[in-house]
Amino acid sequence: MSVSLRVKREDRVSKYIKDKVREGQTLHFTLIDPAKLPDLSSAEKIADALVAAGTDCFMIGGSLGVSERDVDEIAIKLKKFGIPIIAFPGNISGLSKYVDAVLFMSLLNSEDPYYIVGAQVAGAVVVARYGIEALPTGYIVVGYGGTAGYVGRARPIPYEKHEIVVAYALAAYMLGMNYIYLEAGSGAPKPVPLESVKLVKAAVPDAILIVGGGIRDPDTATQLAQAGADVIVTGNIVEDSLEKAVSIVRAVKSVRKSS
Ligand code: 1GP
């Protein structure tokens, strides 16, 4: 059976994000990985605390063991908080008709074409059929890389090789990806270096620069925001301490940039 498909590229969620960035805000995204969540009520507890602290969006996803039903259930639970819900798929099983948007990512420094374009070809049809807004994202794995790097067969860029990160970011932007995600890997011992963030922001100032992986304290989050990150993502930290996650959100939201 053939269906007529129509893309929704950069719509309401994109406007929400870009308007905030234009106002000089730094955004915080709360990543909820269904595979790491003990139960659904803990998603609500995390959401309650972090929405009160000012988190701007939820991201739902992970690199391993996430089914569409997992994403569905969490997205449905999180609707009532009233902030956008964005799928962060490690594979096509990470999509859901209940999310508002998807980080439509290409893992640019993967050695496996499947993670660069193969999964996207399969997923694009589902995204169009569900009518989900696609946020075109160049996903670049730096340093440790974690499960995302391993599963995605990335060749992580060495921490000190900022010029390679910049080259990938330039390529992503020139290919039409308006979102650039520098990923150190969930639970990374060190986040993406400040210097890489500064240089990428200078090279592609109009892209929305997302930085995540291994951000565990408010100072680090503040420094990354000041270096030029438009969006700070935290996930794992809530497992250590919800209070710490709250303090990171507050720190991120207090960084204002002159536009
Ligand atoms: C991982 O960038 C995210 O994809 C968040 O990483 O879990 O280390 O906060 P953490």
Side-chain angles (χ1 to χ4, degrees):
M1 185 183 72
S2 77
V3 281
S4 65
L5 299 170
R6 193 183 170 90
V7 69
K8 227 196 225 178
R9 190 183 137 145
E10 300 204 67
D11 191 29
R12 274 181 37 241
V13 177
S14 194
K15 186 174 180 321
Y16 170 90
I17 294 168
K18 288 181 176 173
D19 283 353
K20 285 182 178 240
V21 169
R22 233 173 267 128
E23 285 166 13
Q25 293 191 41
T26 307
L27 284 78
H28 177 273
F29 288 4
T30 297
L31 171 63
I32 296 185
D33 182 342
K36 292 181 184 165
L37 213 58
D39 50 54
L40 274 180
S41 62
S42 52
E44 281 183 280
K45 193 173 159 222
I46 293 166
D48 247 334
L50 299 193
V51 168
T55 195
D56 298 281
C57 291
F58 296 119
M59 276 168 47
I60 306 175
S63 311
L64 203 59
V66 179
S67 72
E68 179 160 339
R69 181 188 259 195
D70 295 330
V71 184
D72 286 350
E73 285 177 348
I74 297 174
I76 290 166
K77 278 268 178 236
L78 297 183
K79 280 278 179 221
K80 65 176 178 205
F81 291 95
I83 61 172
I85 301 173
I86 303 173
F88 176 55
N91 213 321
I92 53 169
S93 61
L95 297 170
S96 159
K97 60 176 73 136
Y98 299 101
V99 297
D100 302 300
V102 53
L103 279 191
F104 199 82
M105 305 186 288
S106 173
L107 204 178
L108 293 172
N109 55 325
S110 175
E111 290 190 313
D112 185 341
Y114 178 78
Y115 291 99
I116 302 169
V117 72
Q120 293 75 0
V121 171
V125 180
V126 179
V127 170
R129 195 184 327 128
Y130 287 174
I132 311 166
E133 175 180 348
L135 308 178
T137 305
Y139 192 47
I140 302 165
V141 174
V142 177
Y144 169 75
T147 310
Y150 184 83
V151 172
R153 299 175 66 96
R155 197 151 54 101
I157 302 168
Y159 271 112
E160 68 286 4
K161 294 290 179 192
H162 314 300
E163 68 277 16
I164 302 179
V165 181
V166 170
Y168 270 98
L170 282 169
Y173 193 69
M174 290 176 192
L175 284 164
M177 298 166 184
N178 292 336
Y179 294 79
I180 292 170
Y181 192 145
L182 303 183
E183 172 70 271
S186 188
K190 285 194 284 185
V192 173
L194 293 177
E195 192 61 14
S196 290
V197 174
K198 271 185 207 152
L199 292 171
V200 167
K201 192 62 195 171
V204 281
D206 295 334
I208 300 294
L209 180 54
I210 307 171
V211 178
I215 300 169
R216 293 186 180 79
D217 60 78
D219 285 352
T220 304
T222 302
Q223 286 168 9
L224 287 163
Q226 285 168 343
D230 297 304
V231 178
I232 298 289
V233 181
T234 61
N236 256 349
I237 191 68
V238 290
E239 287 164 37
D240 298 351
S241 153
L242 190 51
E243 277 164 33
K244 202 130 202 206
V246 165
S247 67
I248 292 174
V249 178
R250 293 214 177 104
V252 169
K253 294 312 298 176
S254 67
V255 177
R256 305 293 298 194
K257 292 170 188 134
S258 53
S259 39

